[in-house]
Amino acid sequence: MKICVYLPHKAATSFPRLSKFTAEASPPAPKPRRVPSGARRGEREGLALGRAPRTGSALRGGRAQTEHRFSSVGERLMYGTVLACAVAFASVCAAVPVNLAKSSAKLFDKYGAANVIFGREWSPVESLFGLLPMLISTVYLAALTAVISFPVGVCCALWIYRYCSEKTKSALRGALSAVAAIPSVVFGLFGLSVVMPTMEKMGLNGHSAVSASVLLSLMTMPTLVMLCLDALESVKPEMYEAARSLGVEKEYAAVTVELLCAKKDIAAACSVSCARAVAEATAVLMISGNQTTFPTSPLNGVRTLAEHILLECGYASGEHRMALMTAALLLCVMSGALCVLKIPLERKQRR
Amino acid sequence: MTTARNRYNKRISLALRTALVLSAGVVIFSLAFAIFFVLIRGLPHISSELFATDYSRKNQSVLPALWNTAQIVLLALFFAVPTATGAALFCCEYTTRRWCGVLCAVSDTIASLPSVVFGLFGMTLFCVTCGLGYSLMSGALTVSLMLFPIIFDSVKRGIESLPSEQRAGALALGSGKTALIIRIVVPHCARYLVSGCSLAVSRVLAESAALLFTSGTAPGYAAPDAAGRTLAVHIYCLAAEGASIDKAYACAALLLILSGGFSLAARLIKSGTVRNRQKE
């Protein structure tokens, strides 16, 4: 005899396997409605075959849930609240890029996109809104930072990964995550009173791209090292062990095998730290010279897009503000493109 | 393997080891130097004078900045926490995987935007279009935008880590969706939510670019509808004026300790959750 379980209608529909069960137990009950949704069918099969369901999703009920009529007021209220939250969340977040794009579209209409993005002159008084110097400076500063920080950061991550005990490793991770939370103003202050005077003592220009990139590599280092550690830890340990058992030296194996295995994820880590460098405004503002010229030498001052916005947004209005919105849009595109590379790494970690 | 090749191998690995140790040394030393420099320069200047109740030109007290910061933090959490939690619940409990993907993509996009962009957006939307002007309110609204993805992510992770047996058990006992969420899902997520909030607080404390042109730089105590500077903006202003660099360092040391502490707390709360789950 089959055990008959009392199931309210709600639970029966939201839990496909049980609905099948009740259908068997009580003959007059109608067959479960066929839903031509791939997701739901897949989930039901996943449960029926006893495969491990993906977390939470198996009982979530996919599409059936959205079609489901909520019987009581409480259910409806909850659904409404949560839906309102989600809609508010998505719409407010989507408003940011849409707003930027709208303003820049207006400016592009009047002056032409090429004249704004590739214009060489920035002079709002004469209605010249060329953003090219700032664009080039941003790329230049990011590249300079990359040259300084990538080799050091990757090597440091490799050292922590290979030479530190588990205890030290977790302590260092904690310390790095705390360092990553240090406000950029504090770094700016540090740059202003340590990096800049040091440069000037060496007879070089203190307010320059070099000092800004030294400061930026210091700021992005914790993120870079932590992400590189994640990347290295996702490499199978068998690879290293196989190399070692073939008689390869420890460091040689670490570099040639593990670093090469993790190269995609390390590239992602580097691009994310680059995105942080591109996005930084306050600290760079305090130390790079802020001239709106093309960067001719690393010892000259630069003005990146982020600084540009921060410097001028206080007194900008009308078209001037629209031009800053365009700068913000360019900045978003740059940092977004650099961050997209991170997604495969995160997906791998979740697995 | 020949001996010559072996020797070559050894020489390379010695060079590599030196490179690794050197770069690790450089990184750890320079970061530690930066932190200790700020602390050593700042901590001696933290005195009762710094915490005087009145702000004046002669003695830039930090109390008004702390008061404004606390207001912005609370307001921003007030706006961000319910919305982001609701969105995460909707994402994980109610909707299809496709809409969940859309929400996650939105949150990822927002997380990748630079903070200056938020500053500019907040200034045009809240200060100008909504007519709030330079005020703590528009600053808090701007910052709460930046907090959405942080809280959304941590709550979502919490919901995803709920064992499916608990969910099945609740449903089998005849609970509806609402009871399931209130009794099972939300209590399970509480620690994740607290950890996310802690991270969010450290983010707000550190924020300067987004607040400079939304909440303004006025010194002194401010009501939510008036302009006022937070601690980070206060440091920026002091450094830009250049007159009282010692005060700037004292505030920087304070800010360093606060924001580092909050981010460490977030980490500890989260790792505590993970350990508990493994024990179960």
Side-chain angles (χ1 to χ4, degrees):
Chain A
M1 192 194 137
K2 274 177 184 159
I3 305 159
C4 205
V5 184
Y6 167 71
L7 276 172
H9 178 67
K10 241 174 289 163
T13 46
S14 62
F15 194 12
R17 195 187 174 187
L18 288 182
S19 73
K20 220 161 105 192
F21 192 55
T22 41
E24 278 176 13
S26 51
K31 279 186 179 176
R33 204 156 29 104
R34 269 183 71 93
V35 181
S37 142
R40 195 190 168 192
R41 219 183 307 138
E43 275 161 13
R44 186 194 290 164
E45 278 160 15
L47 262 181
L49 295 174
R51 255 186 275 140
R54 262 164 263 166
T55 354
S57 65
L59 302 174
R60 246 194 278 146
R63 193 187 215 166
Q65 208 62 76
T66 48
E67 284 176 3
H68 177 72
R69 296 200 195 295
F70 298 107
S71 44
S72 73
V73 180
E75 301 279 313
R76 251 179 247 165
L77 203 67
M78 189 73 187
Y79 182 70
T81 321
V82 169
L83 181 67
C85 284
V87 168
F89 177 80
S91 57
V92 170
C93 289
V96 181
V98 168
N99 195 340
L100 295 182
K102 238 188 202 167
S103 296
S104 17
K106 265 187 215 158
L107 197 73
F108 288 167
D109 265 354
K110 191 161 179 197
Y111 296 99
N115 285 339
V116 175
I117 297 175
F118 300 111
R120 292 160 157 267
E121 281 288 322
W122 172 268
S123 166
V125 186
E126 302 163 63
S127 301
L128 287 173
F129 299 112
L131 289 172
L132 194 63
M134 276 63 93
L135 200 61
I136 302 275
S137 298
T138 310
V139 175
Y140 189 79
L141 196 60
L144 216 56
T145 309
V147 167
I148 297 175
S149 69
F150 288 179
V152 181
V154 172
C155 287
C156 177
L158 204 57
W159 182 80
I160 292 175
Y161 179 59
R162 264 297 144 220
Y163 290 85
C164 291
S165 63
E166 280 304 317
K167 235 180 193 173
T168 337
K169 223 187 271 180
S170 69
L172 276 175
R173 259 175 188 277
L176 280 174
S177 75
V179 173
I182 290 180
S184 52
V185 198
V186 176
F187 270 114
L189 202 59
F190 174 77
L192 210 58
S193 52
V194 175
V195 179
M196 212 179 68
T198 318
M199 290 288 290
E200 274 170 1
K201 235 175 251 169
M202 281 154 63
L204 304 168
N205 184 5
H207 283 291
S208 64
V210 174
S211 34
S213 62
V214 166
L215 190 65
L216 271 180
S217 29
L218 205 59
M219 290 176 69
T220 52
M221 199 56 89
T223 326
L224 177 64
V225 172
M226 279 203 296
L227 286 174
C228 280
L229 263 179
D230 289 343
L232 286 171
E233 269 162 14
S234 68
V235 176
K236 281 183 193 147
E238 290 90 3
M239 301 289 227
Y240 175 76
E241 281 154 19
R244 287 288 281 154
S245 68
L246 286 172
V248 183
E249 296 285 326
K250 192 175 175 183
E251 296 78 24
Y252 201 75
V255 172
T256 52
V257 177
E258 295 196 297
L259 209 54
L260 282 184
C261 282
K263 61 176 184 283
K264 266 188 193 166
D265 297 339
I266 285 180
C270 290
S271 80
V272 170
S273 84
C274 227
R276 273 208 63 180
V278 165
E280 190 44 59
T282 325
V284 187
L285 179 79
M286 289 159 97
I287 196 172
S288 75
N290 301 330
Q291 294 94 330
T292 52
T293 50
F294 286 98
T296 43
S297 122
L299 293 173
N300 287 354
V302 289
R303 182 192 276 204
T304 65
L305 284 170
E307 287 173 70
H308 185 60
I309 298 166
L310 193 61
L311 271 171
E312 308 216 343
C313 111
Y315 56 88
S317 62
E319 280 172 357
H320 188 182
R321 189 182 291 154
M322 278 181 210
L324 292 184
M325 299 283 242
T326 315
L329 190 70
L330 289 177
L331 195 59
C332 287
V333 170
M334 281 173 84
S335 80
L338 286 168
C339 279
V340 161
L341 287 168
K342 183 178 65 166
I343 293 169
L345 177 67
E346 275 182 353
R347 212 171 280 158
K348 200 184 276 175
Q349 272 170 2
R350 235 165 253 180
R351 239 179 267 152
Chain B
M1 210 181 271
T2 59
T3 27
R5 179 152 173 91
N6 228 343
R7 216 175 290 145
Y8 172 70
N9 211 337
K10 247 181 196 154
R11 215 178 294 157
I12 287 189
S13 79
L14 185 69
L16 286 175
R17 172 185 272 172
T18 341
L20 294 189
V21 171
L22 262 182
S23 55
V26 166
V27 169
I28 292 169
F29 171 77
S30 53
L31 287 176
F33 176 70
I35 293 170
F36 283 110
F37 181 83
V38 172
L39 286 180
I40 287 169
R41 282 241 15 211
L43 286 179
H45 296 284
I46 293 183
S47 55
S48 59
E49 212 174 82
L50 191 70
F51 293 98
T53 44
D54 291 324
Y55 182 96
S56 64
R57 274 261 147 244
K58 283 259 171 69
N59 175 30
Q60 291 98 339
S61 160
V62 76
L63 268 190
L66 279 177
W67 166 247
N68 297 342
T69 313
Q71 278 186 59
I72 286 205
V73 165
L74 289 179
L75 280 173
L77 285 181
F78 174 76
F79 292 125
V81 168
T83 322
T85 312
L89 280 173
F90 179 76
C91 183
C92 293
E93 294 293 332
Y94 286 96
T95 192
T96 52
R97 207 169 290 154
R98 189 187 302 155
W99 283 107
C100 182
V102 169
L103 274 178
C104 291
V106 167
S107 135
D108 279 350
T109 317
I110 287 298
S112 77
L113 293 186
S115 58
V116 210
V117 174
F118 286 103
L120 186 62
F121 174 78
M123 193 189 81
T124 48
L125 181 66
F126 302 123
C127 298
V128 179
T129 313
C130 295
L132 289 170
Y134 286 161
S135 64
L136 293 189
M137 190 53 112
S138 45
L141 283 167
T142 310
V143 165
S144 71
L145 274 182
M146 302 171 63
L147 301 188
F148 275 156
I150 299 175
I151 293 165
F152 178 80
D153 249 29
S154 59
V155 175
K156 200 168 142 274
R157 244 169 235 184
I159 299 175
E160 276 169 358
S161 72
L162 179 70
S164 53
E165 291 84 10
Q166 284 193 25
R167 203 182 287 270
L171 289 175
L173 288 170
S175 92
K177 207 90 207 185
T178 312
L180 173 71
I181 287 173
I182 293 173
R183 296 276 170 83
I184 310 282
V185 178
V186 171
H188 179 82
C189 294
R191 290 185 87 163
Y192 287 86
L193 182 63
V194 172
S195 137
C197 286
S198 183
L199 208 60
V201 171
S202 98
R203 183 86 196 264
V204 180
L205 285 175
E207 196 46 62
S208 53
L211 290 173
L212 256 172
F213 293 109
T214 49
S215 67
T217 53
Y221 301 95
D225 61 342
R229 49 166 83 152
T230 64
L231 195 53
V233 177
H234 183 59
I235 295 172
Y236 177 79
C237 293
L238 288 184
E241 283 162 12
S244 43
I245 210 82
D246 288 337
K247 283 255 164 49
Y249 268 106
C251 296
L254 205 64
L255 185 60
L256 192 76
I257 292 166
L258 278 176
S259 79
F262 271 108
S263 110
L264 265 186
R267 205 183 148 75
L268 287 181
I269 294 166
K270 210 157 142 202
S271 66
T273 324
V274 172
R275 218 172 289 139
N276 278 4
R277 223 178 52 236
Q278 278 167 354
K279 260 184 215 157
E280 281 164 19

